[in-house]
């Protein structure tokens, strides 16, 4: 469980952020739910290609996740 939470928190904090201003279209956007339920939902919604794209700093527009712009895996975020 810790690995799953760490992975999603890392992805969200480093490579994109959810646009909270819009209505909650997905359960992971609902701050009323507990973290585990939100993370499970987010992981289930991401395709393998989208998970890989997050490592490159890309966003996932269909889920309301903005891209970070640029990143560098070897030395951290630039």
């Amino acid at each position: 469980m810790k690995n799953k939470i760490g992975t999603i928190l890392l992805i969200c904090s480093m490579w994109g952020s959810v646009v909270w201003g819009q209505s909650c279209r997905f359960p992971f956007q609902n701050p009323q739910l507990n973290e585990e339920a939100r993370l499970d939902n987010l992981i289930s919604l991401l395709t393998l290609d989208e998970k890989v794209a997050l490592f490159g700093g890309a966003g996932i527009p269909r889920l309301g996740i903005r891209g970070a712009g640029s990143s560098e895996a070897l030395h951290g975020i630039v």
Side-chain angles (χ1 to χ4, degrees):
M1 182 60 208
K2 284 185 179 180
N3 190 23
K4 185 187 292 186
I5 290 173
T7 301
I8 293 302
L9 289 177
L10 181 68
I11 289 171
C12 288
S13 66
M14 293 178 66
W15 291 292
S17 62
V18 177
V19 179
W20 296 107
Q22 54 183 299
S23 62
C24 296
R25 292 181 12 206
F26 303 101
F28 78 88
Q29 295 173 320
N30 183 355
Q32 303 288 326
L33 295 177
N34 65 33
E35 286 181 359
E36 186 172 341
R38 292 172 66 188
L39 295 172
D40 287 341
N41 178 252
L42 179 57
I43 290 171
S44 71
L45 292 172
L46 290 169
T47 66
L48 181 58
D49 289 338
E50 290 170 337
K51 291 174 187 174
V52 172
L54 288 172
F55 286 104
I60 312 297
R62 74 177 185 88
L63 297 178
I65 300 174
R66 293 182 297 176
S70 66
S71 66
E72 185 180 337
L74 184 59
H75 298 100
I77 297 294
V78 181

